[in-house]
Amino acid sequence: MTKPSVTSEEQLRRQLAWLGESWHWIMRTKVLRDRSCDDGRPTALDVGCGPGLVMEMLSPLLDVKGVDIDPDMVRTANGRGMDAVQGDAMDLPFEDGSFDISYCSFTLLWVKDPALAMKEMARVSRRYVICLAEPDYGGRICHPKEVADLDGHLTDSLIEEGADPFIGRRLAHMMEMAGLAVDQGVHSGVWSPSQMREEAEAEWSSISKAVGNRADERTMERARSAWDKALADGSLFLFNPMFYAIGRKP
């Protein structure tokens, strides 16, 4: 399983807006300077490519192909002018060493056996396996308290959907188990006050949708009131760790 169909393209675009610059930095500084990759643009596989937004962003840097388990996502990516095929992250339909790089973003979160998917990404790559972003809701920091009290409902929601909300902390270990040398870090994920104001309504909508009926109406009303007050006085704060990891084959 890769990204479920409930992940809207709008949400994927928001993630890209938050992290796209960091992903470019990873590719430019960690990969494109490596002369062990083929001459010209390195070949790459986007695992769990979804509608092809990340492929599209990185296509000026990489000769990229996508794979996704969802045929609708594959059609959307191809309709965007990308090159994508249907396939399972845990059983990639490619020969060993088919690409210079295999990468994913917000994919291992949804995979039934992410360690197996990591081994598959290592198998089809000649040089690098890159996890551009995977979250860890266990390290989430949130203020005010009334909103932070919803965090348990958020993780429960993800678990019920079949996701691992703590996958970020496991990336380095899974890469080492796949025989890779690892460089791991956390994306800068703190919004400025102006960004918070711009993102506040969409973020609250995302939180309330995920919480659903797990919290009673009174709890949600208190949380929304505290959210609005904190937004107005500048104390609203959200930080959800987004890990990246770069694995290099020996």
Side-chain angles (χ1 to χ4, degrees), residues 163-228:
D164 180 356
F166 314 112
I167 189 67
R169 68 186 67 176
R170 298 175 54 201
L171 294 181
H173 175 71
M174 290 190 297
M175 281 191 170
E176 287 190 347
M177 293 301 98
L180 304 169
V182 185
D183 177 7
Q184 185 182 36
V186 180
H187 292 289
S188 175
V190 178
W191 285 328
S192 68
S194 60
Q195 288 174 314
M196 180 63 78
R197 289 190 295 272
E198 290 171 3
E199 295 285 350
E201 193 58 39
E203 188 64 18
W204 174 258
S205 177
S206 178
I207 291 171
S208 59
K209 182 179 179 180
V211 171
N213 295 323
R214 293 173 180 80
D216 59 59
E217 184 176 350
R218 186 177 178 185
T219 297
M220 293 303 295
E221 287 176 353
R222 283 200 305 264
R224 180 60 200 249
S225 177
W227 175 281
D228 290 341

Side-chain angles (χ1 to χ4, degrees), residues 43 103 131 155-156 165 167 176 215 240:
T43 57
Y103 72 85
C131 296
T155 56
D156 289 346
I167 189 67
E176 287 190 347
N240 196 75

Side-chain angles (χ1 to χ4, degrees), residues 102-128:
S102 62
Y103 72 85
C104 64
S105 56
F106 298 100
T107 294
L108 298 182
L109 168 72
W110 297 105
V111 174
K112 182 178 180 180
D113 189 341
L116 177 57
M118 185 74 76
K119 290 179 181 178
E120 277 292 280
M121 291 175 68
R123 179 184 65 78
V124 302
S125 172
R126 289 187 288 271
R127 298 305 302 161
Y128 287 98

Side-chain angles (χ1 to χ4, degrees), residues 133-153:
E134 297 289 349
D136 192 322
Y137 283 81
R140 183 176 170 90
I141 302 171
C142 183
H143 177 81
K145 181 182 183 300
E146 292 86 349
V147 179
D149 288 342
L150 302 177
D151 286 354
H153 297 302

Side-chain angles (χ1 to χ4, degrees), residues 10-152:
E10 179 184 358
Q11 180 66 10
L12 294 173
R13 287 188 182 279
R14 291 181 71 214
Q15 293 168 347
L16 193 62
W18 301 334
L19 297 169
E21 186 175 338
S22 293
W23 294 348
H24 263 284
W25 173 81
I26 288 172
M27 290 298 180
R28 290 195 312 268
T29 64
K30 302 292 186 177
V31 177
L32 298 184
R33 292 180 181 178
D34 183 356
R35 297 306 179 186
S36 67
C37 292
D38 289 344
D39 292 338
R41 292 189 305 166
T43 57
L45 177 68
D46 185 324
V47 179
C49 66
L53 298 177
V54 180
M55 295 173 66
E56 188 173 54
M57 181 194 74
L58 294 177
S59 59
L61 305 177
L62 305 170
D63 181 5
V64 60
K65 189 178 188 72
V67 59
D68 200 286
I69 201 168
D70 186 335
D72 290 336
M73 292 293 100
V74 171
R75 282 192 289 271
T76 301
N78 287 331
R80 184 169 270 112
M82 300 295 104
D83 178 13
V85 298
Q86 187 176 359
D88 192 326
M90 297 180 291
D91 186 19
L92 292 171
F94 303 102
E95 299 295 328
D96 295 0
S98 295
F99 305 91
D100 292 314
I101 303 158
S102 62
Y103 72 85
C104 64
S105 56
F106 298 100
T107 294
L108 298 182
L109 168 72
W110 297 105
V111 174
K112 182 178 180 180
D113 189 341
L116 177 57
M118 185 74 76
K119 290 179 181 178
E120 277 292 280
M121 291 175 68
R123 179 184 65 78
V124 302
S125 172
R126 289 187 288 271
R127 298 305 302 161
Y128 287 98
V129 176
I130 303 173
C131 296
L132 291 172
E134 297 289 349
D136 192 322
Y137 283 81
R140 183 176 170 90
I141 302 171
C142 183
H143 177 81
K145 181 182 183 300
E146 292 86 349
V147 179
D149 288 342
L150 302 177
D151 286 354

